[in-house]
């Protein structure tokens, strides 16, 4: 690193570093993730509550609207629906990241973290990592729900594990968008309110519940080319069989792009937030 | 058991904190308007000022949380803008509002700080236990902080600032929200820390507290230093006692205020029939007040002799009452109790 002036003698005496040791980048993120997971374990009800809305969607679409919706040929509607619900759950779950960060700003604990000699990335990385673990639990709950209503895996266990990993990766990517929103909003309610329209646009204007071929042209063009649809398609292919390479690559491209761009924006925002 | 810093390197004899021309603006508000001071190693500086004076803003700049707009500041010779990480490894901060994790227990909070400050693994648990014990939190150590009282939270927050044995400690209104025993316990603790060589900068709204704890006091108002010196220097400048005289009516009070002006700084209070006279020496002054009133035939209803409040200090130093630009506390934060200036009337804008 470059300094504008030689270190002062006092600093040399103390043997002080100008950045945390490389090991701290991982260790600090894990310490923060640990803290967030403790909070999650202490209040398991929030986890259960976050599955209520998707469960209602499952019941609604499986039993109320399902009969009227035409699944693509060779696929039952429940097998079409459930991947969409999994991805929806993970996407809405990422709001948790934003709300958590906004709350940490509000309570002042981020102020304390800023005064500690810890890795700067840890607060955000720890939060997003904890939310990956959280998402894993939510996905497991929703897959169990899916089996109850008739969802089946047709392509084997290994590809389905791949689908779960893909969804975790997508949840991680979405968490960085929410991190940016949460840091900008500054309080939990605003973060929640700010995230919703954006999330709704991604989740509902997608191929999650209905195939896009009957949508109006413009809507269809959007729905066919947005990240949630891409991940839905990839998960459907991995769970239900069929060509997987192309949809998986498209989904990976989306989540990598989102993570790179929004992690950079969120970290920049974190550095600037006073 | 010790809460003090490890003696690593020999103390460098120079100042622990140097501040030169520090300025911070928030939009149109100039929160800190050019402040200079130094804090010698191993001493306590009390930053005294009313709501909105800029105390917290100064602390946040010195603890690398906020970037100054102008000027320079260094801690143990380390520039806070150029070497923030190095600064962070030698400082401890307990901010104005307790910043602890509500979902974690007290013990978990302290261990987390131990990890985040990269303490050697085996010592982390021991240090947490030590601090919990010292701050009287052992019994509550395994309860989530959510269940703590305001004072317990405050004590946990203070112990979190000490986990990595910082050599320079910043305490922003540390006794706000503590009950009298908690307050005197904190004062004792500060004594221990200082005896072991910790340099301390604390902010307060209480003259008594600044007086009791600090080697040097800086009085700030509107982002500027309006007075500085040791407690005794300030006292001799400010007068140590206030004589309050209440009259049956406003006219008498008005006459008396002119009459008593030579004795000390006179202010007519809000009820318009009470005046306060700030004096250096209580005994002779009271006699003089009585003599003067007697000679003009003004009969007071009561005469009270009391210690000066921060309001008196400000009246003396600035010629105006302490303005209040009360910052909005984070909604999660416990309301600060017992703020003297909160009792003031907030009239003129
Ligand atoms: N983040 C901020 N954004 C805008 N204005 C701010 C911010 N922080 C502080 N200010 C303003 O700067 C001034 C100084 O605030 P500061 O918090 O430093 O005062 P203080 O002396 O700590 O007061 P108190 O005793 O009430 O804690 C106030 O007018 C305040 O409104
Ligand atoms: Mg303050």
């Amino acid at each position: 690193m470059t300094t504008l002036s030689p270190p002062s003698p006092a600093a040399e005496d103390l043997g002080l570093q100008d950045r945390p040791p490389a090991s701290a980048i991982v260790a600090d993120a894990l310490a923060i993730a640990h803290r967030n997971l403790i909070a999650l374990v202490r209040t398991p009800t929030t986890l259960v509550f976050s599955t209520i809305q998707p469960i209602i969607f499952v019941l609604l679409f499986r039993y109320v609207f399902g009969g009227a919706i035409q699944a693509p040929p060779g696929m039952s509607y429940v097998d079409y629906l459930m991947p969409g619900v999994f991805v929806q759950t993970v996407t809405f779950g990422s709001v948790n990241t934003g709300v958590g960060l906004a709350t940490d700003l509000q309570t002042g604990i981020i102020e304390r973290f800023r005064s500690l000699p810890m890795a700067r990335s840890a607060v955000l990385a720890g939060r997003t990592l904890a939310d990956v673990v959280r998402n894993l639990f939510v996905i497991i709950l929703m897959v169990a729900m899916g089996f109850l209503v008739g969802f089946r895996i047709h392509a084997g266990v290994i590809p389905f594990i791949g689908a779960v990993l893909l969804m975790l990766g997508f949840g991680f990517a979405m968490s960085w968008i929410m991190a940016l929103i949460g840091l900008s909003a500054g309080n939990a309610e605003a973060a929640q309110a700010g995230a919703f329209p954006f999330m709704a646009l991604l989740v509902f204007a997608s191929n999650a519940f209905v195939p896009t071929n009957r949508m109006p042209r413009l809507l269809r063009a959007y729905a066919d080319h947005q990240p949630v649809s891409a991940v839905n398609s990839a998960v459907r292919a991995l769970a239900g069989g069929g060509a997987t390479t192309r949809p998986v690559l498209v989904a990976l491209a989306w989540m990598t792009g989102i993570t790179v761009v929004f992690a950079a924006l969120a970290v920049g925002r974190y550095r600037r937030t006073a | 058991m010790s809460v003090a810093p490890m003696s690593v390197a020999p103390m460098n004899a120079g100042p622990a904190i140097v501040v030169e021309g520090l300025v911070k603006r928030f939009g149109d508000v100039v929160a800190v308007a050019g402040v200079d001071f130094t804090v010698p190693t191993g001493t306590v500086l009390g930053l005294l000022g009313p709501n909105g004076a800029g105390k917290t803003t100064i602390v946040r700049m010195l603890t690398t949380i906020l970037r100054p707009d102008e000027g320079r500041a260094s801690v143990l010779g380390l520039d806070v803008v150029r070497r923030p990480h190095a600064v962070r490894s030698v400082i401890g901060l307990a901010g104005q509002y307790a910043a602890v994790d509500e979902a974690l227990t007290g013990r978990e909070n302290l261990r987390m700080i131990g990890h985040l400050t990269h303490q050697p693994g085996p010592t982390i648990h021991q240090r947490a236990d030590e601090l919990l014990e010292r701050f009287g939190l052992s019994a509550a150590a395994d309860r989530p902080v959510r269940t703590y009282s305001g004072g317990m939270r405050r004590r946990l927050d203070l112990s979190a600032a000490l986990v990595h044995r910082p050599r320079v400690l910043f305490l922003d209104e540390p006794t706000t929200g503590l009950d009298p025993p908690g307050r005197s316990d904190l004062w004792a603790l500060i004594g221990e820390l200082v005896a072991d060589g910790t340099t301390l900068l604390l902010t307060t709204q209480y003259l008594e507290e600044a007086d009791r704890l600090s080697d040097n006091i800086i009085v700030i108002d509107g982002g500027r230093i309006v007075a500085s010196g040791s407690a005794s220097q300030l006292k001799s400048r400010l007068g140590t006692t206030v004589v309050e005289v209440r009259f049956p009516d406003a006219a008498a009070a008005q006459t008396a205020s002119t009459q008593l002006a030579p004795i000390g700084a006179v202010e007519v209070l809000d009820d318009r029939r009470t005046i306060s006279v700030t004096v250096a020496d209580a005994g002779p002054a009271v006699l003089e007040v009585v003599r003067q009133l007697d000679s003009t035939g003004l009969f007071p209803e009561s005469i009270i002799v009391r210690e000066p409040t921060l309001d008196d200090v400000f009246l003396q130093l600035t010629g105006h009452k302490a303005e209040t630009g009360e910052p909005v506390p984070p909604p999660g934060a416990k309301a600060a109790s017992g703020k003297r200036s909160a009792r003031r009337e907030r009239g003129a804008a």
Side-chain angles (χ1 to χ4, degrees):
Chain A
M1 75 155 271
T2 51
T3 39
L4 298 173
S5 67
S8 75
E12 265 171 5
D13 287 348
L14 298 164
L16 295 174
Q17 305 297 311
D18 274 315
R19 47 187 59 224
S23 60
I25 293 175
V26 176
D28 293 355
L30 290 180
I32 297 286
H34 179 240
R35 137 186 199 245
N36 292 326
L37 288 173
I38 289 179
L40 184 68
V41 170
R42 295 248 154 92
T43 47
T45 45
T46 60
L47 201 80
V48 174
F49 277 135
S50 66
T51 62
I52 288 179
Q53 190 247 17
I55 286 175
I56 290 174
F57 268 74
V58 169
L59 298 176
L60 210 60
F61 278 90
R62 171 80 176 87
Y63 298 112
V64 182
F65 307 138
I69 299 171
Q70 182 117 51
M75 192 178 222
S76 71
Y77 181 65
V78 68
D79 286 344
Y80 180 86
L81 171 69
M82 286 314 296
V85 171
F86 301 151
V87 176
Q88 175 208 15
T89 312
V90 168
T91 307
F92 277 115
S94 68
V95 175
N96 197 55
T97 305
V99 170
L101 282 171
T103 307
D104 285 349
L105 274 180
Q106 227 173 338
T107 58
I109 195 154
I110 286 192
E111 187 108 341
R112 155 149 280 140
F113 290 149
R114 284 168 184 286
S115 76
L116 296 180
M118 57 188 272
R120 297 309 259 169
S121 54
V123 172
L124 299 184
R127 169 67 67 177
T128 48
L129 284 175
D131 285 330
V132 169
V133 178
R134 180 184 183 280
N135 268 337
L136 179 61
F137 282 103
V138 175
I139 290 174
I140 290 172
L141 283 175
M142 290 314 298
V143 169
M145 171 76 193
F147 280 119
L148 283 180
V149 300
F151 168 71
R152 293 292 177 268
I153 299 169
H154 299 284
V157 174
I158 305 281
F160 189 69
I161 291 176
V164 170
L165 292 177
L166 199 73
M167 289 189 281
L168 291 178
F170 185 64
F172 183 70
M174 293 304 292
S175 280
W176 286 103
I177 301 185
M178 287 303 122
L180 181 64
I181 292 180
L183 289 173
S184 312
N187 73 69
E189 294 74 22
Q192 188 110 44
F196 184 78
F198 176 70
M199 291 283 141
L201 209 62
L202 279 177
V203 170
F204 298 128
S206 79
N207 63 14
F209 307 104
V210 284
T212 58
N213 52 15
R214 294 220 188 141
M215 292 181 183
R217 259 176 70 94
L218 264 180
L219 179 60
R220 179 176 180 182
Y222 164 75
D224 278 341
H225 298 98
Q226 55 108 320
V228 168
S229 291
V231 179
N232 287 338
S233 300
V235 174
R236 276 183 196 124
L238 288 166
T244 52
T245 316
R246 202 186 120 81
V248 169
L249 285 180
V250 174
L252 284 174
W254 270 113
M255 67 184 71
T256 311
I258 291 173
T259 306
V260 168
V261 171
F262 283 90
L265 290 175
V267 169
R269 177 78 215 189
Y270 178 77
R271 286 178 192 278
R272 275 182 289 113
T273 310
Chain B
M1 158 184 355
S2 131
V3 285
M6 284 177 286
S7 338
V8 213
M11 289 290 167
N12 64 326
I17 304 174
V18 179
V19 174
E20 291 167 19
L22 213 54
V23 173
K24 184 71 200 180
R25 301 180 200 90
F26 296 105
D28 289 341
V29 179
V30 184
V32 177
V35 163
D36 304 78
F37 61 84
T38 60
V39 186
T41 303
T43 67
V44 181
L45 176 75
L47 218 52
L48 179 67
N51 287 147
K55 303 182 295 295
T56 298
T57 306
I58 292 173
V59 169
R60 294 175 80 213
M61 287 190 282
L62 291 177
T63 52
T64 76
I65 292 168
L66 209 59
R67 214 185 153 92
D69 290 329
E70 284 171 39
R72 287 160 20 108
S74 62
V75 176
L76 296 183
L78 305 161
D79 188 284
V80 296
V81 174
R82 278 182 298 173
R83 309 202 54 198
H85 186 79
V87 170
R88 288 176 202 130
S89 55
V90 296
I91 61 167
L93 164 68
Q96 184 165 357
Y97 303 101
V100 285
D101 191 320
E102 299 269 313
L104 268 51
T105 66
R107 199 187 303 279
E108 286 164 344
N109 263 288
L110 296 184
R111 287 180 183 175
M112 172 179 72
I113 304 290
H115 285 289
L116 290 174
T117 52
H118 313 128
Q119 304 300 295
T123 67
I124 289 177
H125 288 203
Q126 190 194 332
R127 181 68 177 159
D129 296 347
E130 203 172 283
L131 286 166
L132 289 163
E133 169 94 42
R134 176 63 186 83
F135 282 84
L137 291 169
S138 296
D142 296 312
R143 269 165 41 194
V145 171
R146 170 172 306 124
T147 68
Y148 281 24
S149 74
M152 291 162 75
R153 224 171 272 235
R154 191 78 207 163
R155 279 180 279 148
L156 181 65
D157 191 59
L158 290 165
S159 50
L162 298 176
V163 168
H164 56 304
R165 301 171 196 268
R167 301 185 42 196
V168 181
L169 188 59
F170 295 86
L171 304 179
D172 196 357
E173 301 197 21
T175 55
T176 301
L178 292 183
D179 57 8
R183 194 167 287 220
S184 57
D185 188 47
L186 181 71
W187 288 1
L189 176 86
I190 287 174
E192 280 170 48
L193 288 167
V194 172
D196 285 311
T198 306
T199 306
L200 173 63
L201 185 153
L202 66 89
T203 78
T204 179
Q205 307 193 25
Y206 303 105
L207 185 61
E208 180 202 9
E209 188 163 283
D211 180 6
R212 171 78 182 263
L213 298 174
S214 326
D215 299 301
N216 286 292
I217 296 175
I218 287 177
V219 185
I220 61 167
D221 182 30
R224 285 179 202 284
I225 296 180
V226 293
S228 62
S230 67
S232 59
Q233 284 167 344
L234 283 177
K235 271 188 174 176
S236 59
R237 266 184 61 193
L238 296 176
T240 52
T241 311
V242 176
V243 182
E244 270 182 16
V245 191
R246 195 168 78 217
F247 295 95
D249 56 69
Q254 199 55 49
T255 318
S257 69
T258 335
Q259 186 78 26
L260 301 179
I263 303 173
V266 177
E267 186 196 359
V268 181
L269 302 190
D270 294 327
D271 69 356
R272 318 190 91 243
R273 56 194 191 100
T274 309
I275 62 172
S276 73
V277 190
T278 308
V279 299
D281 210 343
V286 174
L287 291 179
E288 187 57 25
V289 166
V290 173
R291 243 181 253 126
Q292 289 289 337
L293 294 179
D294 191 31
S295 73
T296 40
L298 287 169
F299 292 104
E301 280 187 356
S302 66
I303 298 184
I304 298 167
V305 181
R306 61 170 176 81
E307 292 295 298
T309 64
L310 188 60
D311 292 348
D312 303 319
V313 173
F314 273 89
L315 182 72
Q316 282 259 323
L317 284 172
T318 66
H320 69 86
K321 293 187 181 186
E323 305 271 348
T324 45
E326 182 123 39
V328 185
K334 281 270 170 299
S337 64
K339 284 201 173 179
R340 198 163 288 181
S341 46
R343 279 196 258 126
R344 298 202 56 93
E345 256 157 85
R346 302 218 181 103

